[in-house]
Amino acid sequence: MDRSPDSPPPELVVPDALEVLDAGIAVLDGVARVRLWNRWLEAASGVDSAAVLGRVLFEAIPVLDGTRLKTAIQDVLETGAPGVLSHTLNPVMLPLRLSDGQRMVHNVVIRPLACGGGRGCILQVTDVTASVHRERVLREQRDARYRAIVDAAPDAIVTLDTRGVIQWANGAAARQFQHRTDALIGRGIGVLLDPLSPQWDEIAGRFSEPGGTEIVGRRRDGTRVDLEPSVGRWESQGRSFFTVILRDITERRRSREALEANALAMKQMAEQTRATLDALPAYIAVLDQGGRVVLVNKAWADAPVDAPFLGARCRLGDDYLERCAAAPDREGAPAVLAALTGILHRGGPAVSMEYHGPSGTGRRWFRCLAAPMEASPYGGGVVMHIDNTDMKEMEAALREVVGQKSTLLREVNHRVKNSLQLVSSLLTLQTMTLTDETVRAHFRDARSRIEAIALVHNRLYQTEHFQSIEFGSHLAELCDDLERASGGGSTCTVSVHADPVELPIDQAAPLGLIANELVTNAIKHRDGPSARVSVDLVRDGGALVLTVADHGPGLPPDFQMGRSRSLGMRLVTSLASQIGASVTVLPVAEGAAFRISLPLPAPDEELPQQPAPQETAG
């Protein structure tokens, strides 16, 4: 193509075009002398073209001598192959600055160029500061989001190099292992691990594979922490790194060990329960909600075919209710069936029933105990049959023996009462022969005491209980007898107020004699033709209080109970001491009053009442 006559020559156009490029352009000849240094390079390097043109570049700018740029230029001049210098691998090349004075990040492309009949090169310098800054900002934003997410993670996360040295750690790692984050950087991963745990070489090779392996870590205070590691490998700028997640599974491991221990304990309990059931002589079966047998003990399994208890021939899987319904020859079977149906279908209460085995020779008694299995998620119940024929026979024999003993004791009390009444009659006859009134009075007192004791045995003869008597009614009857023996209402009036109370015979007999003495004395020493005597028996806290008062002449001013020469008073004091009672003379305006306080034993603490099992005798 022909050039226009008005067009400028190429040797003038090319330099001008290189001057206006938004890039640094430098042309070097074969010995690296500068042939072109455009205005962009002048502004960026601060070196005028006049200062470098015609001079060797490394002499004009001495800081470039010995740099990677010099080596690259020499390689291009010698080989003719282009070269590229990137800022990522060569952070310092030309001493270039931006307009604000900051260092310029740049790339350099070196291409071979024919220059003056020889080999030269052209340097193209590109400003990448803005793009590098933009990439750095984006990377920092991305890293900030990543760190925010990782720092919020509950698990410890650390970044390691290939040697196992910690490059970064999140907040959870610092909290979990009780170290400051900056104190972890630069230290080996072993600072977080127990000395007996695998070291980094083994962790990097083994735990990068799935498998859920567990290791042991150590906190700063030396406490142990169970860890589940997860390891991931990644590359950056030609270097390898590892991200390790250390999950604290201490509580999970404890829970697992507790579950294993509970499972073992439950297994042992099940084995122990089964051994216990097998050791019992009773016939035991476990039923599901439908009444089918799901478990039997050894006694049931080994029972002979002709065993007489209900459902003896049932085996695992059989319908027990159906088998019970087909046993009409067993008296009480319908009641047992109804109770079991209520337990299995409606969750009824536990039952205890007796029934006869099949009729015929050798008929036996059985007790059926059945209860719902409330703790089982599947419902059902347990049924037990106990052969209590021997117990029934023993009970019958015992009842017969007790009946004989009761008859014997009643007869003994009857005979004692008759003997005492005979003695009383003899004393009465003897009294009739006496002329001395003083002696006659002594005989009457003796007869009164004997009759008081006879009255106790009479009550024991009339009751079913031979160890104690109801003392309130006994006291009223005793006072009635004393009133009649003294002539009735014309001679004395004895009013009795007595609370019902059961007293053992060892206390009732002495207390009755004390009452007899005090009432007899009140009648004997009455003031006037008729005596008025009041007798009260009440409970007062933990004591039984007997009070005998009259409206007679009263006691002497110097009367002392312990020093009285009266046989009656000495007898009262002796009997009271015998049963642990205290005797007090009460101050009254008229007559005399005595107070006998007898401590009562504390009643036994009542046991908590359990619902009584239903029972039906067959």
Side-chain angles (χ1 to χ4, degrees):
M1 179 177 179
D2 295 334
R3 179 172 58 86
S4 170
D6 298 328
S7 299
E11 60 272 14
L12 297 177
V13 173
V14 172
D16 291 339
L18 296 178
E19 290 290 346
V20 299
L21 289 177
D22 188 17
I25 300 296
V27 177
L28 307 180
D29 61 13
V31 293
R33 285 193 296 263
V34 179
R35 297 302 185 183
L36 176 66
W37 189 263
N38 72 347
R39 284 193 295 270
W40 190 96
L41 280 176
E42 287 182 342
S45 64
V47 178
D48 293 337
S49 59
V52 296
L53 289 177
R55 299 179 63 186
V56 176
L57 177 62
F58 312 117
E59 295 175 355
I61 305 177
V63 296
L64 298 180
D65 193 18
T67 63
R68 178 71 180 86
L69 178 62
K70 179 179 180 180
T71 304
I73 292 173
Q74 290 174 345
D75 289 343
V76 172
L77 293 176
E78 291 175 1
T79 64
V84 178
L85 297 179
S86 170
H87 70 280
T88 57
L89 299 179
N90 304 276
V92 178
M93 289 178 285
L94 291 166
L96 305 181
R97 296 284 176 178
L98 297 174
S99 60
D100 59 1
Q102 295 184 10
R103 186 177 67 84
M104 179 187 295
V105 181
H106 55 280
N107 294 333
V108 178
V109 179
I110 308 171
R111 294 185 177 88
L113 177 70
C115 182
R119 179 179 293 177
C121 65
I122 182 170
L123 277 65
Q124 179 182 345
V125 182
T126 306
D127 181 6
V128 295
T129 305
S131 60
V132 168
H133 176 70
R134 183 169 58 253
E135 289 178 1
R136 184 174 65 253
V137 170
L138 292 175
R139 183 172 62 253
E140 289 176 352
Q141 291 176 348
R142 183 176 65 251
D143 291 347
R145 288 194 298 269
Y146 168 76
R147 285 191 173 91
I149 294 173
V150 173
D151 271 337
D155 298 325
I157 303 176
V158 294
T159 298
L160 313 173
D161 61 14
T162 54
R163 301 170 300 163
V165 177
I166 299 174
Q167 307 296 312
W168 178 84
N170 69 342
R175 292 188 299 273
Q176 180 168 300
F177 294 98
Q178 302 173 346
H179 289 277
R180 296 195 320 273
T181 303
D182 57 350
L184 291 175
I185 307 302
R187 302 181 68 178
I189 186 64
V191 71
L192 306 180
L193 302 179
D194 187 83
L196 300 179
S197 290
Q199 296 307 302
W200 169 241
D201 292 341
E202 185 177 353
I203 294 176
R206 193 176 76 184
F207 297 140
S208 58
E209 303 175 357
T213 308
E214 299 174 2
I215 61 175
V216 179
R218 285 285 172 183
R219 297 187 177 94
R220 186 179 180 184
D221 61 4
T223 58
R224 163 182 169 149
V225 54
D226 296 311
L227 303 172
E228 183 182 68
S230 299
V231 181
R233 183 169 182 164
W234 50 280
E235 304 286 335
S236 177
Q237 297 182 355
R239 298 180 61 191
S240 295
F241 296 92
F242 294 89
T243 294
V244 182
I245 301 175
L246 299 171
R247 173 163 295 177
D248 184 351
I249 59 169
T250 304
E251 291 302 323
R252 187 176 77 187
R253 186 168 187 175
R254 289 175 181 169
S255 299
R256 184 179 67 219
E257 292 174 350
L259 289 175
E260 292 174 352
N262 289 338
L264 179 60
M266 291 180 65
K267 181 180 179 181
Q268 293 175 344
M269 183 179 297
E271 294 175 352
Q272 182 178 0
T273 302
R274 183 56 190 260
T276 303
L277 292 177
D278 287 342
L280 292 174
Y283 306 102
I284 303 173
V286 178
L287 313 178
D288 63 13
Q289 281 187 319
R292 295 191 177 276
V293 179
V294 296
L295 176 69
V296 296
N297 72 335
K298 188 175 185 300
W300 187 302
D302 296 344
V305 177
D306 58 348
F309 68 91
L310 278 173
R313 291 182 294 278
C314 280
R315 293 297 180 261
L316 298 182
D318 290 349
D319 190 328
Y320 183 76
L321 299 181
E322 181 180 324
R323 186 62 59 84
C324 288
D329 58 338
R330 288 165 173 79
E331 183 181 346
V336 173
L337 177 62
L340 285 176
T341 303
I343 287 176
L344 297 177
H345 296 171
R346 296 183 295 276
V351 296
S352 174
M353 298 183 175
E354 286 187 343
Y355 65 91
H356 276 302
S359 57
T361 59
R363 193 175 194 187
R364 303 189 68 81
W365 277 94
F366 287 90
R367 176 170 291 275
C368 175
L369 304 174
M373 297 182 63
E374 298 175 351
S376 171
Y378 308 106
V382 59
V383 60
M384 176 188 301
H385 297 280
I386 303 173
D387 187 342
N388 63 346
T389 305
D390 294 341
M391 183 66 69
K392 280 285 186 179
E393 294 174 351
M394 291 176 61
E395 288 178 358
L398 183 60
R399 280 194 296 269
E400 182 178 356
V401 171
V402 170
Q404 294 173 354
K405 182 178 180 182
S406 299
T407 302
L408 178 61
L409 288 174
R410 187 174 289 107
E411 182 63 24
V412 168
N413 283 306
H414 182 56
R415 289 178 180 271
V416 171
K417 185 263 297 183
N418 289 342
S419 298
L420 291 174
Q421 285 183 344
L422 177 60
V423 174
S424 176
S425 299
L426 292 175
L427 289 176
T428 301
L429 292 175
Q430 186 66 41
T431 303
M432 294 172 62
T433 65
L434 298 174
T435 58
D436 189 336
E437 185 59 32
T438 302
V439 176
R440 288 167 62 92
H442 288 320
F443 269 74
R444 283 195 297 270
D445 290 345
R447 185 190 64 190
S448 175
R449 293 167 183 139
I450 292 172
E451 288 179 349
I453 299 175
L455 184 61
V456 171
H457 286 277
N458 185 50
R459 282 199 160 271
L460 290 176
Y461 164 70
Q462 296 174 350
T463 185
E464 296 293 332
H465 306 288
F466 304 107
Q467 294 83 17
S468 64
I469 64 173
E470 200 283 293
F471 191 74
S473 58
H474 170 71
L475 182 63
E477 184 178 353
L478 174 65
C479 292
D480 287 344
D481 290 347
L482 292 175
E483 184 177 334
R484 284 194 302 269
S486 300
S490 61
T491 306
C492 68
T493 301
V494 182
S495 59
V496 181
H497 176 271
D499 292 343
V501 58
E502 286 285 335
L503 279 184
I505 187 62
D506 292 341
Q507 290 180 326
L511 192 60
L513 285 173
I514 291 174
N516 178 81
E517 291 298 325
L518 294 176
V519 173
T520 300
N521 282 345
I523 296 173
K524 182 188 304 183
H525 300 289
R526 62 184 178 274
D527 186 11
S530 178
R532 289 178 298 157
V533 184
S534 61
V535 179
D536 294 303
L537 180 71
V538 295
R539 286 181 177 271
D540 185 10
L544 184 65
V545 178
L546 172 65
T547 305
V548 179
D550 62 52
H551 299 275
L555 299 171
D558 59 348
F559 178 80
Q560 292 184 8
M561 194 73 187
R563 296 183 179 181
S564 175
R565 300 182 62 185
S566 167
L567 177 60
M569 289 297 102
R570 292 203 305 270
L571 187 59
V572 168
T573 303
S574 176
L575 291 172
S577 176
Q578 176 183 331
I579 60 177
S582 61
V583 182
T584 305
V585 179
L586 301 178
V588 291
E590 181 183 3
F594 296 88
R595 183 177 187 270
I596 293 85
S597 180
L598 173 65
L600 294 177
D604 294 338
E605 295 183 1
E606 293 185 359
L607 296 176
Q609 297 295 321
Q610 301 292 340
Q614 301 176 6
E615 181 168 339
T616 300

